Amino acid sequence: MVNKITVVGAGHVGASASLLLAQRRLARSVVLIDIIEGVPQGKGLDQWESAPIEGFDARVIGTNDYADTANSDIVILTAGVARKPGMSREDLLNTNANIVKTVSGQLKATSPNAIIIVVSNPLDVMSYVCMKTTGFPRERVIGMAGVLDSARYRSFIALELGVSVADIQALVLGGHGDTMVPLASYASVSGIPLTQLLPADRIDALVQRTRKGGGEIVGLLKTGSAYYAPAAAAVQMAEAIAHDKKRILPASVWLQGEYGLKDLFLGVPCQMGSNGLEKVIEVVLTDDERAALQRSADATFETMALLS
Ligand code: NAD
């Protein structure tokens, strides 16, 4: 357990994440901060009032004041605007970049040693904005995308095969967008390669559904984007860090030559522990997978170039 975890943005993802953090007993205090007055205070108090029922001791508080977030060990950054139908993640670029810049400046001043898990979209570029503004080393700015995208892939495989999600391992690399790279070669069910259990066209359909997984939810909700699975994914990363679990999870990190890529955030398998990003794991890719990862990197560079 760590001392303090802050969640910035008390909207759908942020509020869901703060409740999970408290329920999982990952920190002594969980601070929910937003610019809207009353909302983080109200949600924080409501969540704290569930403590006697749920049996957690983590003190959840809501605030508009960064002084309350001081010396956070971990921060989950969800502040920003979410997608509506017809919008791509890139449509959020400059609005969210300004928000992430402001928030990152505040975090740098008040929690200089924090490990930041970025959630705001477009994810890979917002992680870059956060790292640039804070000046934190790459070990302490990690983007959440791969855990969510892999969970979607795993959930679709489980549905297709009619087996428990507990037995399914899968890996999604690349940017958090339509160019993401769900790997068929690393998907397995209790160690049995997925390619032995499903024909190529069915696997391809699952890969396509995974790529469009966020859009599928936006299309259904119409008023915003997914939040239960995204919050669970960010909290799993926070848990790996808070409990120094050394888990291998896919995440968007600042690449410095790994996979032949440099100077961008992109999703790759990482080891996560109390130092944040502890190691980037390089796996063998087929020529097609490597080309798809390069296309995803190119798309991320293009979005970075649109930053004003
Ligand atoms: P939401 O609109 O419900 O909540 C966003 C919150 O951010 C609002 O409460 C808003 O007041 C707050 N906010 C805005 N500016 C702020 C600032 N300067 N400081 C503090 N708070 C501020 O949106 P949501 O559904 O929670 O989504 C949040 C973000 O996460 C969006 O950008 C969304 O696209 C992204 N997202 C990413 C993933 C992923 O896989 N990485 C998944 C889901 C959502």
Side-chain angles (χ1 to χ4, degrees):
M1 187 189 288
V2 295
N3 212 32
K4 190 187 282 186
I5 303 183
T6 286
V7 180
V8 187
H12 286 97
V13 179
S16 306
S18 67
L19 184 59
L20 284 174
L21 290 167
Q23 289 173 337
R24 303 251 175 98
R25 298 159 177 78
L26 295 183
R28 288 181 190 86
S29 68
V30 175
V31 181
L32 189 56
I33 184 164
D34 201 289
I35 38 167
I36 302 176
E37 280 178 32
V39 169
Q41 288 86 345
K43 290 187 181 180
L45 181 60
D46 189 15
Q47 293 185 3
W48 167 244
E49 288 168 359
S50 76
I53 305 164
E54 294 286 342
F56 61 79
D57 291 308
R59 183 78 176 85
V60 189
I61 65 149
T63 183
N64 307 116
D65 183 353
Y66 276 88
D68 294 320
T69 72
N71 299 317
S72 296
D73 301 281
I74 301 172
V75 174
I76 298 180
L77 201 174
T78 77
V81 178
R83 280 197 290 168
K84 304 244 166 39
M87 289 174 87
S88 74
R89 295 178 178 91
E90 285 65 33
D91 290 333
L92 311 172
L93 182 71
N94 280 312
T95 306
N96 282 356
N98 286 332
I99 293 172
V100 169
K101 244 183 242 170
T102 309
V103 168
S104 301
Q106 298 275 14
L107 293 172
K108 177 186 178 165
T110 46
S111 293
N113 299 314
I115 295 170
I116 304 180
I117 298 168
V118 180
V119 177
S120 311
N121 271 321
L123 186 275
D124 305 284
V125 182
M126 291 308 106
S127 303
Y128 167 66
V129 170
C130 177
M131 190 182 80
K132 210 171 133 194
T133 311
T134 55
F136 287 3
R138 75 165 184 168
E139 287 73 20
R140 295 201 281 118
V141 180
I142 311 174
M144 187 289 289
V147 174
L148 170 65
D149 297 327
S150 304
R152 286 184 173 142
Y153 192 24
R154 290 161 64 198
S155 72
F156 299 149
I157 294 169
L159 281 180
E160 175 79 16
L161 291 172
V163 301
S164 167
V165 286
D167 293 331
I168 296 173
Q169 291 289 328
L171 201 50
V172 177
L173 306 188
H176 184 52
D178 295 347
T179 61
M180 70 178 73
V181 189
L183 299 176
S185 54
Y186 286 92
S188 64
V189 182
S190 284
I192 307 161
L194 185 62
T195 47
Q196 291 184 23
L197 299 172
L198 281 176
D201 62 327
R202 289 310 308 153
I203 295 178
D204 194 47
L206 299 177
V207 164
Q208 294 309 335
R209 189 174 178 193
T210 302
R211 284 207 177 106
K212 307 258 180 236
E216 186 177 353
I217 307 278
V218 172
L220 290 165
L221 294 179
K222 297 187 178 67
T223 51
S225 57
Y227 49 101
Y228 293 118
V235 170
Q236 184 173 67
M237 291 168 66
E239 183 180 40
I241 296 164
H243 288 174
D244 193 23
K245 287 177 83 99
K246 314 283 185 204
R247 289 206 63 175
I248 309 290
L249 299 170
S252 182
V253 295
W254 184 246
L255 293 180
Q256 286 300 290
E258 298 89 352
Y259 292 90
L261 298 165
K262 201 170 177 321
D263 294 344
L264 83 166
F265 273 84
L266 206 68
V268 293
C270 301
Q271 181 174 304
M272 269 177 243
S274 58
N275 298 312
L277 167 67
E278 301 201 337
K279 201 192 284 176
V280 172
I281 314 282
E282 291 200 66
V283 298
V284 176
L285 299 177
T286 64
D287 288 347
D288 283 353
E289 289 165 347
R290 192 164 279 279
L293 194 64
Q294 183 62 54
R295 278 196 296 280
S296 197
D298 293 342
T300 304
F301 278 129
E302 277 167 29
T303 311
M304 278 168 83
L306 297 175
L307 275 175
S308 55

